[in-house]
Amino acid sequence: MKQILKIEHIEKYYGNKGNITKAIDDISFEVQNGEFIAIMGASGSGKTTLLNCISTIDTVSAGHIFLDNADITEIMEKELARFRRENLGFIFQDFNLLDTLTISENIAMALTINKVPVEEIDPRVKKMAEKLDIVPILDKFPYQVSGGQKQRCACARAMINSPKLILADEPTGALDSHSAQMLLTTIQTMNQEFDATILMVTHDAFTASYAKRILFLKDGHIFTEIIRGEQSRKQLFGKILDVMTLLGGDLSDVR
Amino acid sequence: MYGKLILRNAKRSIKDYLIYIITLTLCVTMFYSFLSISSNYYHPSIGVQYNLNILSDAMKAAICAITFLLLFLIKYVNNYMIRRKQKEFAIQTVMGMEQKTTATLFFLETLIMGLVALGMGIILGTFCSQFITAMLLSAYGQPFQLSWMLYPDTVLLTIMFFTISFVLIGLFNIRTIRKIKVIDMLNADKKNEPHFKKSKWMPIITVLFSIFLIIMLVTGISKMYYYFDTRLPFSVHLMFWGNILIPAFTLVGILAWIFLHKKFGFSKLVIFLLIMALAATASSASVPVLQMKYYLALGTGTNNSYMIFLLVGLVFIICAVFYLASNVITSMKEKSLQKKYYEENLFFFGQIISKLKTTTKTMTLICLTLVLSISMFLIEPALNGWVSGYLDTRSVFDVQVLSQYNKAFDIKELPNTNYDFVTEYLAENNIQIIDDCSFSLYLPMAEDFHQRIKWSFPVLAISLSDYNHLLDMRGLDTITLDENEFTTQWQSIATEEERNEFIESHSTVRTDAGILEMASENASDAALGEYLYNNYTDVVYVFPDEICKQLLSVNRNRAIKTAEPLPYDVAIGLQQEFERKFPEQPEGVNYYIRTSTQQINSTTASNFVMQASMTYGAVVLLIMCFTILALQQLLDATHYKYRFGVLRKLGVDETHINRLVLKQLGVWFGLPIGIAVLASTVFGGYFFNMFSSQISAYIGAEILAVQILLIAGILLILLTCYFVSTWILFNRTIRKE
């Protein structure tokens, strides 16, 4: 399998000389093409910082990040926007859809930014909408559809450019449990059927249980890793809960 | 502690207050500079024959009336500031500050900003008042002199007026802020996404327009019934029928739509009405033009009512254009995929369409106000030049005395006086008379004395010697006539065609002393005042003296030239004396006296008040429009911040984002201003066309062109001011972390 993302000893500090906070403390891991990886951890464990660094919204203090063998920590500021739109797809907790555009226009927007030939745009939007089951709402505005539908639209937008990596930040955070379950199924389909590489940040065990591999962060470094392998989702869920209990602290912490 | 907080807040948020300060400073500047003229300390060197008191009272009244508009604007800007600062209020309140204290802090902060603006405004105002003084001096025909002076009473009045309004509005704000719930403050920037539904405004406008159409139809039918004549020219036929058929057809269309509205949407109806409104406006506009051209009898007030129809039509057209603007952009977008999917156009269209849909009403009102303002700017120099040009042709002699016979029905009543007491009065007041001419105006045929029908009033005659005397008094060349010859003297308002037509049909004239032939020098338009001519006529015959001796003298006039202009109080005294001797009567001969001092004073003063208040009003309206346009964009800044944030996350470059911002603001400012400029150009063109003879007679095309350029300059400066500050603030908001 081809390696798509390689993170090498990255560190990220905040603050100044006398008072340094290490948000990421020497993290290294690799992601293969077609993987669905979840990053879990409590608040302040560094998972959002990690995601921001990978998505080039933030810069690292030390270390390297390679996406498809290109070192994204070395890309010039000016090139970053182009790099982002060509290689990455985003799914956010609060959807980040444009309220002035219809669902189909929101999806098309991602294509026009990448200067895709005009005649390809409508067919591609239609095809993607069919896959994600949002054809009936294509001409509606975001305020006219449900949260789950909005997030599926966001998925379609993230997917439509066939990016090398899809970054999802708490995608189920603003959804009720039913919608969350439907969305996760969608993401799973995206991963399995279209071979999309997905990196998802979450603190919810149920959400994480849909992934193939789960990294646990604690205080800026990798605490442990679970690989689903042949286990069922239920078994994986159990394991995640076990790790989370451990993460919460051992007996010595509650002395 | 609180004092420090206020000062630091004020300092930190000075950029947030940019629009607030600019608007207030402009308001204060305008207020101060216009009011400075009515100051008791204001003594520009305009000569003894002028009295500024008439002016200052009228000025004060005009300015105060217009300034009420400013209060509304200050309130609007304050509301914007409150919305912008709600999050801050929330944090202060959550921290345990009483909401009353939060509100008071905000009040003091705005007060500081207001006082800063007040100071800057007064300083700028002293500069600007120079322009107003220049305007005043030129109105009174004096050379311009710089006079730097701070007028204490005006400063005091300005400070009082604005402080009181700041405090009043501030207290009102405190009440508003205290009423907002903390939770609403906290979530101020997390409002639900707006619904892009069209407002109910247009259907209401359509109903009003239908009522207007009915009125127009009824007027058209009644005009047709009373005044139509088959002998009238074809264009007049067209006008009569157009004013009936166009509203009738439109009403039928509306009725048809009511039955078929399921098939044709409301937008289709608006398109139909827009086309018909254009036709109706054109046909209303033709009424005054044709009436003037053919002297149509259409009943009193017809021109005015059709002018009103014209205005209503224009208003509806603007409303409809704005209502349809979002549809037009939508269909433009849908028609060409190339345009729709070009770079970030999708986003751009989305921004414009959503904003247009939710703010049709505001945009229409702004556009209408702009039209009003620009039209005021356009008409003001024309009216002003008209009045002062008229003054020049009217007050040609220092004292003019005249009589009018048209209410007398007995020949015995006709006057034969030299108004000697005028001479005595002037001598008593040490006014030296340089030249003096008492003269009669004669009826060519005595039998015409009883001719009192408006359009066939007889043309009067003046004797050659009197005529030459008047010409001499004006410093003009005298003329000669052979025996049995006559010539004509014309009022400057008469057009070339009228003159030629008259001369062609009057090569001879029959008088009680025989028939006279027209001289080779057949017409003159020397400026000899407007009292030489009979009512409803623009011409007077000049006959040899021998002839005049045998004619019936109907009017007795006198023109006096004095060594220096009459002082104001002497002129008033003379007028009173005259009115005591010759009180105005409902029947019989009436006598009038006109002194140039009084004419110049009252005309110049009222002219100046009109000019100044129209300029002031127009600028105030412009400022209001621009401020509201700017705030419209800044009010929704939180939405924009989110939207541009999404774009950035999707990987759009900063250069593209900058371009999008400029494009969006350009359309936002350009659309209403463009439409307003277009509408006022049409209106101005119509106005100038209709009164072209008066304009060329009293103003001159060059001066008009300079004035129009000046207006364009003011418009451009204000627009740049607002556009740039909106742009800066907009960029700040969408980039703020």
Side-chain angles (χ1 to χ4, degrees):
Chain A
M1 220 180 240
K2 193 181 156 207
Q3 181 195 69
I4 195 102
L5 180 74
K6 186 178 168 196
I7 289 173
E8 252 182 24
H9 304 290
I10 63 164
E11 293 179 21
K12 175 75 189 174
Y13 313 133
Y14 288 116
N16 46 22
K17 262 186 187 170
N19 180 24
I20 289 180
T21 317
K22 276 194 176 179
I24 300 176
D25 187 6
D26 192 19
I27 290 182
S28 302
F29 65 94
E30 287 170 9
V31 181
Q32 307 297 321
N33 193 20
E35 248 195 310
F36 182 4
I37 184 167
I39 294 174
M40 283 198 75
S43 301
S45 60
K47 52 187 193 313
T48 303
T49 311
L50 177 64
L51 192 79
N52 282 345
C53 288
I54 298 173
S55 65
T56 71
I57 289 172
D58 207 344
T59 53
V60 293
S61 306
H64 293 278
I65 301 172
F66 296 95
L67 186 76
D68 207 12
N69 295 324
D71 188 349
I72 63 175
T73 56
E74 301 286 317
I75 297 177
M76 300 290 286
E77 182 84 30
K78 269 188 177 171
E79 288 289 297
L80 277 179
R82 199 174 60 85
F83 175 83
R84 266 210 295 278
R85 64 173 181 253
E86 283 173 3
N87 297 295
L88 301 175
F90 291 94
I91 301 167
F92 301 94
Q93 175 176 354
D94 50 358
F95 320 126
N96 270 317
L97 294 179
L98 291 165
D99 49 3
T100 52
L101 302 182
T102 60
I103 298 293
S104 76
E105 286 170 343
N106 261 298
I107 301 169
M109 188 76 208
L111 289 174
T112 65
I113 291 172
N114 265 326
K115 303 194 177 62
V116 168
V118 170
E119 58 280 3
E120 286 178 26
I121 291 178
D122 280 338
R124 273 175 75 173
V125 170
K126 190 110 192 290
K127 214 170 125 196
M128 184 55 69
E130 277 165 5
K131 283 177 189 162
L132 295 188
D133 198 21
I134 47 174
V135 176
I137 56 160
L138 273 182
D139 286 329
K140 292 201 163 144
F141 283 95
Y143 68 85
Q144 294 168 314
V145 305
S146 72
Q149 285 171 321
K150 272 189 227 178
Q151 198 60 300
R152 263 183 284 156
C153 166
C155 288
R157 188 179 63 182
M159 286 277 294
I160 195 140
N161 274 319
S162 321
K164 290 179 183 144
L165 181 65
I166 293 174
L167 300 169
D169 186 4
E170 301 274 12
T172 55
L175 300 181
D176 60 85
S177 60
H178 177 67
S179 305
Q181 205 169 349
M182 279 183 47
L183 178 78
L184 287 165
T185 318
T186 308
I187 295 181
Q188 212 170 28
T189 322
M190 278 158 59
N191 172 246
Q192 284 165 2
E193 287 182 21
F194 315 131
D195 217 18
T197 316
I198 299 168
L199 191 138
M200 176 172 75
V201 161
T202 183
H203 66 269
D204 178 43
F206 177 75
T207 305
S209 69
Y210 278 81
K212 287 180 183 166
R213 178 155 74 115
I214 301 153
L215 288 177
F216 290 89
L217 292 194
K218 188 184 182 182
D219 300 334
H221 54 258
I222 296 176
F223 178 74
T224 185
E225 181 184 30
I226 307 177
I227 296 174
R228 181 166 170 183
E230 297 304 313
Q231 301 172 69
S232 72
R233 202 163 61 74
K234 205 172 174 186
Q235 285 170 315
L236 183 67
F237 185 58
K239 270 196 170 172
I240 294 169
L241 289 182
D242 290 343
V243 177
M244 281 180 78
T245 328
L246 266 177
L247 262 177
D250 49 30
L251 259 171
S252 60
D253 288 335
V254 285
R255 226 182 345 209
Chain B
M1 176 61 211
Y2 281 159
K4 231 184 201 170
L5 192 64
I6 294 165
L7 276 178
R8 204 178 303 152
N9 258 349
K11 224 168 164 185
R12 188 172 50 85
S13 48
I14 200 133
K15 270 193 185 149
D16 291 333
Y17 276 103
L18 196 59
I19 288 276
Y20 187 81
I21 291 184
I22 287 185
T23 306
L24 282 183
T25 308
L26 284 175
C27 289
V28 175
T29 307
M30 302 287 302
F31 186 83
Y32 177 84
S33 48
F34 277 90
L35 208 64
S36 66
I37 290 173
S38 61
S39 162
N40 291 333
Y41 297 88
Y42 187 73
H43 299 298
S45 47
I46 50 172
V48 278
Q49 70 271 41
Y50 294 111
N51 184 337
L52 271 181
N53 283 342
I54 332 172
L55 191 138
S56 64
D57 293 338
M59 263 315 267
K60 268 184 194 146
I63 288 173
C64 288
I66 296 167
T67 309
F68 272 103
L69 288 175
L70 285 182
L71 286 181
F72 165 76
L73 184 67
I74 297 175
K75 181 79 190 81
Y76 192 91
V77 181
N78 266 290
N79 283 350
Y80 160 72
M81 287 314 299
I82 291 179
R83 259 181 80 172
R84 207 183 156 94
K85 301 208 115 204
Q86 268 189 23
K87 192 91 191 250
E88 215 166 291
F89 298 156
I91 293 167
Q92 287 173 352
T93 315
V94 167
M95 271 162 47
M97 208 182 269
E98 266 180 73
Q99 219 155 322
K100 198 172 76 186
T101 323
T102 314
T104 316
L105 283 181
F106 173 72
F107 166 60
L108 292 174
E109 210 176 298
T110 49
L111 195 63
I112 289 178
M113 297 294 171
L115 293 179
V116 169
L118 191 58
M120 293 204 301
I122 290 178
I123 294 168
L124 269 178
T126 47
F127 278 101
C128 278
S129 68
Q130 295 303 313
F131 288 104
I132 318 284
T133 305
M135 198 158 110
L136 179 91
L137 289 175
S138 88
Y140 280 87
Q142 303 289 329
F144 176 63
Q145 285 170 316
L146 267 176
S147 60
W148 292 109
M149 207 180 146
L150 210 58
Y151 306 107
D153 54 345
T154 313
V155 172
L156 200 72
L157 198 65
T158 312
I159 292 176
M160 259 167 53
F161 180 86
F162 281 97
T163 316
I164 290 174
S165 29
F166 289 160
V167 170
L168 275 181
I169 292 171
L171 291 177
F172 202 74
N173 284 344
I174 291 181
R175 224 175 66 104
T176 317
I177 295 172
R178 281 176 67 178
K179 271 190 179 167
I180 309 175
K181 282 188 199 144
V182 182
I183 183 74
D184 290 339
M185 283 189 194
L186 265 173
N187 293 335
D189 51 356
K190 282 188 207 127
K191 276 236 183 93
N192 285 335
E193 285 146 337
H195 288 229
F196 305 118
K197 291 254 173 68
K198 289 207 165 187
S199 60
K200 286 267 178 291
W201 147 268
M202 199 58 203
I204 297 170
I205 294 284
T206 309
V207 171
L208 292 178
F209 187 64
S210 314
I211 296 170
F212 156 74
L213 283 171
I214 295 169
I215 296 172
M216 188 173 166
L217 179 64
V218 171
T219 316
I221 292 173
S222 80
K223 295 294 167 202
M224 181 80 146
Y225 180 77
Y226 289 112
Y227 301 106
F228 186 72
D229 190 326
T230 46
R231 288 166 299 177
L232 289 165
F234 178 69
S235 54
V236 180
H237 281 229
L238 218 58
M239 174 197 93
F240 271 110
W241 282 110
N243 282 321
I244 293 174
L245 291 180
I246 293 169
F249 181 67
T250 319
L251 284 167
V252 171
I254 293 173
L255 281 179
W257 180 82
I258 291 172
F259 290 109
L260 296 170
H261 69 277
K262 283 197 180 119
K263 203 169 160 196
F264 301 100
F266 183 66
S267 303
K268 291 260 164 55
L269 176 70
V270 178
I271 294 173
F272 167 73
L273 288 180
L274 175 63
I275 296 166
M276 294 319 287
L278 281 169
T281 311
S283 110
S284 309
S286 71
V287 174
V289 175
L290 291 174
Q291 195 273 335
M292 282 187 167
K293 191 170 173 193
Y294 296 109
Y295 297 100
L296 299 177
L298 293 174
T300 46
T302 305
N303 275 356
N304 290 344
S305 46
Y306 274 97
M307 287 288 246
I308 292 170
F309 291 172
L310 172 77
L311 288 179
V312 175
L314 264 181
V315 169
F316 181 81
I317 290 170
I318 291 174
C319 293
V321 165
F322 271 101
Y323 181 80
L324 293 174
S326 59
N327 292 32
V328 170
I329 298 177
T330 311
S331 69
M332 219 164 80
K333 185 182 91 176
E334 295 304 331
K335 227 176 222 162
S336 151
L337 283 182
Q338 214 69 34
K339 247 185 218 141
K340 181 180 176 183
Y341 290 140
Y342 178 72
E343 291 189 346
E344 292 86 23
N345 268 4
L346 259 182
F347 177 80
F348 172 68
F349 282 129
Q351 291 278 79
I352 296 295
I353 293 168
S354 65
K355 191 78 188 160
L356 267 179
K357 271 186 186 165
T358 46
T359 56
T360 320
K361 193 167 103 186
T362 321
M363 287 293 264
T364 313
L365 286 178
I366 286 176
C367 188
L368 288 175
T369 318
L370 272 174
V371 173
L372 180 68
S373 163
I374 299 175
S375 307
M376 266 161 85
F377 264 134
L378 280 177
I379 293 172
E380 181 262 306
L383 283 184
N384 174 34
W386 190 343
V387 174
S388 48
Y390 181 52
L391 179 68
D392 289 342
T393 64
R394 208 162 60 134
S395 67
V396 285
F397 301 108
D398 293 305
V399 181
Q400 296 183 81
V401 189
L402 61 138
S403 71
Q404 271 184 353
Y405 77 93
N406 54 342
K407 280 183 190 160
F409 296 95
D410 191 347
I411 290 182
K412 283 179 211 140
E413 290 177 51
L414 290 174
N416 187 18
T417 164
N418 280 339
Y419 310 105
D420 289 325
F421 76 94
V422 175
T423 327
E424 287 160 25
Y425 183 88
L426 291 178
E428 274 169 34
N429 287 285
N430 298 324
I431 305 288
Q432 202 192 337
I433 294 175
I434 310 177
D435 209 342
D436 184 358
C437 174
S438 296
F439 59 94
S440 288
L441 292 171
Y442 306 92
L443 267 179
M445 310 273 286
E447 66 195 50
D448 282 339
F449 178 66
H450 297 289
Q451 178 59 272
R452 300 292 161 84
I453 298 167
K454 204 169 161 182
W455 41 85
S456 53
F457 244 71
V459 173
L460 295 179
I462 183 171
S463 74
L464 179 65
S465 59
D466 289 338
Y467 180 66
N468 277 334
H469 192 172
L470 289 178
L471 287 176
D472 191 45
M473 280 171 85
R474 294 282 294 140
L476 300 167
D477 291 337
T478 55
I479 60 161
T480 52
L481 281 179
D482 283 345
E483 221 177 306
N484 293 332
E485 261 190 2
F486 77 95
T487 183
T488 55
Q489 155 68 32
W490 288 85
Q491 203 164 180
S492 64
I493 189 170
T495 59
E496 195 74 30
E497 293 117 58
E498 282 176 300
R499 222 200 277 186
N500 292 339
E501 198 183 329
F502 183 89
I503 288 167
E504 265 169 40
S505 57
H506 292 76
S507 56
T508 59
V509 60
R510 227 152 53 86
T511 73
D512 290 334
I515 293 174
L516 299 178
E517 299 269 333
M518 185 168 279
S520 53
E521 281 292 323
N522 54 20
S524 155
D525 60 354
L528 295 177
E530 61 175 353
Y531 306 118
L532 218 52
Y533 312 93
N534 205 355
N535 287 346
Y536 315 110
T537 63
D538 293 335
V539 59
V540 66
Y541 294 122
V542 182
F543 288 168
D545 291 13
E546 287 308 309
I547 304 287
C548 286
K549 276 179 192 154
Q550 302 168 47
L551 301 182
L552 176 68
S553 153
V554 282
N555 284 350
R556 197 65 196 151
N557 287 16
R558 185 174 175 187
I560 300 172
K561 198 172 157 189
T562 57
E564 60 252 4
L566 268 65
Y568 186 73
D569 43 340
V570 173
I572 294 289
L574 182 59
Q575 169 92 31
Q576 283 163 351
E577 179 77 15
F578 189 91
E579 274 165 9
R580 212 162 43 76
K581 282 242 159 63
F582 298 109
E584 190 155 348
Q585 291 158 352
E587 260 191 35
V589 179
N590 269 309
Y591 299 89
Y592 304 94
I593 188 164
R594 297 283 181 264
T595 59
S596 68
T597 299
Q598 256 183 305
Q599 282 176 329
I600 292 173
N601 245 305
S602 64
T603 321
T604 315
S606 60
N607 192 14
F608 181 74
V609 169
M610 182 187 77
Q611 186 187 7
S613 49
M614 270 179 101
T615 314
Y616 183 56
V619 177
V620 165
L621 290 180
L622 266 190
I623 292 178
M624 285 181 69
C625 287
F626 287 160
T627 312
I628 294 173
L629 269 180
L631 293 187
Q632 278 281 323
Q633 286 292 292
L634 298 173
L635 270 175
D636 285 343
T638 44
H639 285 297
Y640 291 142
K641 189 180 159 192
Y642 167 80
R643 289 176 199 161
F644 281 101
V646 172
L647 273 193
R648 221 172 277 139
K649 283 176 191 157
L650 285 176
V652 177
D653 298 342
E654 284 300 309
T655 45
H656 282 232
I657 288 181
N658 280 336
R659 214 167 55 199
L660 274 175
V661 168
L662 264 181
K663 239 161 96 179
Q664 182 185 334
L665 289 182
V667 169
W668 189 253
F669 276 89
L671 195 66
I673 293 172
I675 293 177
V677 167
L678 197 73
S680 27
T681 312
V682 171
F683 176 73
Y686 174 71
F687 179 83
F688 290 142
N689 227 334
M690 206 164 93
F691 298 107
S692 59
S693 61
Q694 283 91 334
I695 285 169
S696 62
Y698 297 134
I699 310 162
E702 262 173 57
I703 297 174
L704 203 67
V706 171
Q707 295 272 22
I708 289 172
L709 277 179
L710 202 75
I711 298 157
I714 294 176
L715 205 94
L716 216 65
I717 291 172
L718 282 177
L719 180 62
T720 322
C721 247
Y722 273 94
F723 189 83
V724 171
S725 48
T726 312
W727 188 51
I728 293 171
L729 281 178
F730 196 94
N731 274 327
R732 247 173 85 82
T733 334
I734 64 165
R735 294 205 161 77
K736 208 157 66 178
E737 284 303 317

